[in-house]
């Protein structure tokens, strides 16, 4: 996922943090109106999908302002492609990039955000106001990329304070723009948490499945069986066979029904169903494929299947 932070004065939005996912159209219009008043921006993305997880509409509105792109969840992604990602982003005109793990208690990258944001504002004469010594930042991006986690990490790092923004492992936890949350004392800096925003039209099916797999779309809207099938396809394509060891399979397999059956049997996930026979109704035990798919997807999102980069 991707998110952006913006710096604003007392009554105007001036910084934006962007994270790449879904909100109501009215919320999206409000965000665009706020963007027009920004001085600088910070965007956030899930490192599983450094390119698919970026909302192009935010890119169009932020490019005229100094901004910082934050690639989050680096603990879950394959960072061996870090330099190729940076080169691709540079070709796309994105120069200020930071890799983070906002759930880590002490992440050195999080410590760099406030100094980088301050420097970007000071170096942009068009947006820098010498008389204004405080900043208000807006965090934006797609759902479930860690926008709220970033706010909590900045508070933990700079103020030694606890959580101020609710977080969760599914999209839609933040449903409205919240009140200002202080994240730094010197300089005085506040953040606004915002709902995740997906582009109105997703580029293609492949991008849509990557977003669904990373949890930027509610699972039931796509179907957990379909997401699990795409996950198995992706792991095999990338030759990431951690699922074989975790679920004690005989070897890599491209049959999702067989894999889910093995997962259900290993975890004891079964369900009773009625079968109509010639001698009457009989209750039999069957593997619970839905429960197995749920576990398979959650294992990927927790990094239990190995570090994976879905964008090649």
């Amino acid at each position: 996922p991707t998110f952006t932070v913006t710096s604003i004065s007392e009554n105007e939005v001036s910084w934006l943090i962007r994270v790449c996912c879904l909100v109501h159209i009215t919320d999206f219009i409000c965000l665009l109106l706020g963007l027009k008043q920004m001085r600088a921006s910070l965007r956030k993305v899930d490192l599983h999908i450094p390119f698919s997880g970026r909302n192009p509409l935010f890119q169009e509105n932020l490019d005229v302002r100094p901004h910082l792109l934050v690639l989050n969840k680096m603990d879950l992604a394959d960072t061996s492609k870090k330099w190729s990602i940076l080169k691709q982003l540079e070709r796309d005109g994105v120069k200020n990039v930071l890799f983070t793990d906002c759930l880590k208690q002490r992440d050195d990258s999080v410590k760099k955000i406030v100094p980088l944001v301050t420097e970007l504002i000071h170096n942009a004469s068009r947006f820098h106001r010498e008389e204004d010594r405080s900043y208000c930042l807006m965090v934006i991006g797609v759902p479930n990329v860690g926008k709220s986690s970033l706010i909590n990490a900045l508070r933990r790092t700079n103020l030694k304070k606890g959580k101020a923004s609710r977080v969760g492992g599914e999209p839609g936890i933040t449903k409205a723009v919240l009140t200002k949350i202080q994240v730094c004392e010197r300089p005085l800096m506040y953040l606004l948490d915002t709902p995740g925003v997906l582009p109105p039209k997703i580029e293609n099916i492949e991008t849509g499945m990557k977003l669904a797999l990373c949890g930027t779309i509610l699972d039931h809207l796509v179907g957990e069986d379909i997401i699990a099938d795409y996950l198995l396809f992706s792991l095999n394509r990338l030759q990431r066979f951690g699922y074989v060891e975790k679920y004690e399979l005989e070897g890599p397999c491209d049959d999702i029904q067989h894999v889910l059956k093995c997962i259900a049997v290993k975890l004891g996930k079964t369900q009773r169903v009625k079968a109509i026979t010639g001698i009457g109704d009989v209750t039999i035990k069957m593997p619970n494929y839905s429960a197995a798919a749920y576990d398979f997807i959650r294992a990927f999102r927790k990094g239990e299947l190995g570090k994976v980069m879905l964008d090649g």
Side-chain angles (χ1 to χ4, degrees):
T2 304
F3 59 78
T4 304
V5 182
T6 70
S7 155
I8 58 177
S9 60
E10 186 65 25
N11 296 315
E12 61 180 346
V13 177
S14 53
W15 260 85
L16 177 78
I17 296 181
R18 185 176 75 155
V19 188
C20 301
C21 272
L22 255 194
V23 295
H24 297 294
I25 188 66
T26 51
D27 295 326
F28 184 61
I29 292 173
C30 289
L31 280 176
L32 290 182
L33 291 174
L35 282 174
K36 293 181 179 180
Q37 304 177 49
M38 282 193 314
R39 290 191 197 143
S41 72
L42 171 71
R43 296 175 290 170
K44 184 172 180 186
V45 184
D46 187 331
L47 194 48
H48 278 131
I49 43 176
F51 307 114
S52 302
R54 297 164 60 203
N55 189 330
L57 292 179
F58 284 143
Q59 182 76 21
E60 294 170 9
N61 284 275
L62 291 177
D63 271 352
V64 297
R65 300 169 177 83
H67 59 273
L68 176 65
L69 175 67
V70 179
L71 295 172
N72 192 38
K73 303 185 181 181
M74 64 179 297
D75 58 314
L76 302 178
D78 177 10
T79 54
S80 64
K81 299 180 180 179
K82 179 178 178 179
W83 297 112
S84 63
I85 292 171
L86 290 173
K87 288 180 180 178
Q88 179 62 50
L89 289 171
E90 189 173 357
R91 285 194 291 270
D92 293 341
V94 181
K95 297 179 180 179
N96 304 303
V97 183
L98 202 60
F99 294 82
T100 64
D101 173 11
C102 289
L103 294 182
K104 189 177 180 180
Q105 286 300 311
R106 293 184 179 181
D107 184 3
D108 291 337
S109 295
V110 172
K111 297 178 182 178
K112 299 176 183 178
I113 291 178
V114 170
L116 279 172
V117 167
T118 305
E119 181 182 356
L120 286 170
I121 295 176
H122 286 182
N123 291 339
S125 56
R126 178 181 174 185
F127 302 98
H128 178 44
R129 300 292 182 267
E130 190 64 36
E131 70 277 1
D132 191 359
R133 298 293 182 178
S134 65
Y135 307 102
C136 188
L137 317 179
M138 182 184 287
V139 184
I140 64 168
V142 300
N144 201 29
V145 291
K147 295 184 295 294
S148 299
S149 296
L150 175 70
I151 292 176
N152 293 332
L154 286 168
R155 280 177 57 83
R156 183 173 65 242
T157 300
N158 299 311
L159 298 176
K160 312 302 179 187
K161 300 285 187 179
K163 294 181 179 179
S165 196
R166 186 181 169 209
V167 299
E170 61 182 37
I173 297 297
T174 304
K175 300 184 183 299
V177 178
L178 305 180
T179 56
K180 291 195 302 184
I181 301 170
Q182 185 178 351
V183 296
C184 190
E185 185 68 37
R186 295 182 181 179
L188 187 58
M189 189 174 288
Y190 299 90
L191 262 68
L192 294 173
D193 201 359
T194 66
V197 180
L198 279 173
K201 182 179 180 181
I202 295 175
E203 183 179 348
N204 52 56
I205 294 177
E206 180 84 2
T207 298
M209 290 308 302
K210 290 177 182 178
L211 290 169
L213 180 53
C214 291
T216 61
I217 303 170
L218 289 170
D219 291 344
H220 73 269
L221 296 178
V222 178
E224 290 180 339
D225 55 336
I226 296 174
I227 298 174
D229 196 5
Y230 179 75
L231 171 56
L232 181 62
F233 163 76
S234 298
L235 293 174
N236 288 334
R237 176 174 58 86
L238 297 169
Q239 297 187 350
R240 299 289 179 176
F241 303 124
Y243 71 92
V244 175
E245 180 179 355
K246 176 174 175 58
Y247 296 113
E248 299 178 0
L249 305 181
E250 293 181 357
C253 176
D254 61 1
D255 183 350
I256 186 61
Q257 292 298 316
H258 175 72
V259 171
L260 292 181
K261 181 179 179 180
C262 292
I263 293 174
V265 171
K266 174 177 171 54
L267 301 179
K269 303 288 186 181
T270 59
Q271 56 185 348
R272 293 180 178 274
V273 297
K274 284 186 177 181
I276 300 175
T277 67
I279 58 173
D281 294 350
V282 178
T283 301
I284 59 175
K285 277 188 177 182
M286 294 283 291
N288 190 330
Y289 290 96
S290 296
Y294 177 88
D295 189 89
F296 190 35
I297 296 167
R298 294 305 178 282
F300 166 77
R301 292 174 182 169
K302 292 178 182 178
E304 295 174 359
L305 304 182
K307 296 188 175 184
V308 180
M309 180 82 69
L310 294 175
D311 281 342

